Amino acid sequence: MMLMSTRGLTRQFAGLHAVEDVDFDLPQGQVRALIGPNGAGKTTFVGMLCGRIAPTSGTVVFDGQDISRLAAHKRINLGMAYTFQITSVFANLSVAENVALAARRRRHGGAVQDAVVRALQQVGLQDRLAQNAGDLSYGHQRLLEIAMGLAQHPRLLILDEPTQGLTDSEIAAFKALVRGLADTTTILLIEHNMSVVMETADVITVLNSGRVLAEGSPQAIHADPAVQRAYLGTGG
């Protein structure tokens, strides 16, 4: 089953095409990585998927419904969760309160507390429930934001540069987390760390200059000469 699709998705800024005519299909249950050089259009593309940026033209379909003009908060209600490239936690609230706020978007009553505990256990922050979010390290704030996404029990979890600022051991734990979620949650991962991409993604989509340059398995993408030249830096 196709959970999310785009057709002809385009966004122009002052006449420049940040994203141009992108057709994209994300099946339910897949871990998809979105990669590309800086300026490739990844953030703009994901912004259109989650409703933070309106497309100039084209369509976004989620679970069979055209959501191209649907507000971002209504997309959350459909089962989408998005973590930002820049942390967006509430610094003056505790770790648990941050996750509870996110959980209440999709849950009620006692289910909220259960979701908080489970999400913090999944990211390894269960011992920091009462700590102010603003006192966490940058890497731990990234993990808190992932927990906020997980607490919503999303059908689609979009993770934007989730390993930025994480230690090697935290990155290893993140890889295990993604593999563990794969059975229940569709994941779209925007990531520069190629070991994370190669070890967690089922399929990789490569953007370059606002267009899809290549798409395929990690092995196929790693061996693609066009991708090597544009992004991996190993081509002639």
Side-chain angles (χ1 to χ4, degrees), residues 6 9-11 17-25 32-49 188-192 204-216 221 226-232:
T6 72
L9 199 62
T10 298
R11 174 65 198 206
H17 285 81
V19 173
E20 186 171 6
D21 198 29
V22 171
D23 292 346
F24 176 82
D25 292 304
R32 175 74 61 90
L34 182 67
I35 69 171
N38 290 331
K42 302 185 298 296
T43 299
T44 301
F45 177 68
V46 171
M48 289 189 285
L49 297 185
L188 178 60
L189 177 68
I190 301 90
E191 181 58 70
H192 278 108
I204 299 172
T205 299
V206 185
L207 282 185
N208 190 41
S209 300
R211 291 179 171 271
V212 175
L213 175 67
E215 195 167 81
I221 292 300
V227 175
Q228 291 172 358
R229 287 192 298 271
Y231 182 56
L232 299 178

Side-chain angles (χ1 to χ4, degrees), residues 9-13 18-19 41-58 60 67-72 75 82 84 160:
L9 199 62
T10 298
R11 174 65 198 206
Q12 298 177 14
F13 293 103
V19 173
K42 302 185 298 296
T43 299
T44 301
F45 177 68
V46 171
M48 289 189 285
L49 297 185
C50 69
R52 295 177 62 83
I53 298 174
T56 303
S57 60
V60 180
I67 61 168
S68 308
R69 303 296 170 181
L70 195 67
R75 299 187 196 203
Y82 173 51
F84 299 92
D160 195 348

Side-chain angles (χ1 to χ4, degrees), residues 33-143:
L34 182 67
I35 69 171
N38 290 331
K42 302 185 298 296
T43 299
T44 301
F45 177 68
V46 171
M48 289 189 285
L49 297 185
C50 69
R52 295 177 62 83
I53 298 174
T56 303
S57 60
T59 58
V60 180
V61 174
F62 183 76
D63 195 21
Q65 178 180 343
D66 187 335
I67 61 168
S68 308
R69 303 296 170 181
L70 195 67
H73 70 276
K74 293 184 178 180
R75 299 187 196 203
I76 291 172
N77 294 337
L78 293 179
M80 294 174 61
Y82 173 51
T83 71
F84 299 92
Q85 188 173 358
I86 302 171
T87 55
S88 59
V89 301
F90 295 95
N92 294 324
L93 296 181
S94 73
V95 166
E97 287 168 336
N98 268 273
V99 181
L101 279 175
R104 288 190 190 106
R105 294 172 177 171
R106 298 268 291 164
R107 298 168 185 264
H108 304 282
V112 170
Q113 186 58 33
D114 290 343
V116 169
V117 172
R118 175 168 171 75
L120 289 172
Q121 287 175 338
Q122 286 178 291
V123 302
L125 293 179
Q126 65 270 21
D127 296 330
R128 298 176 181 268
L129 284 164
Q131 186 173 352
N132 266 18
D135 295 334
L136 295 175
S137 68
Y138 179 78
H140 282 162
Q141 288 186 26
R142 301 292 305 170
L143 293 174

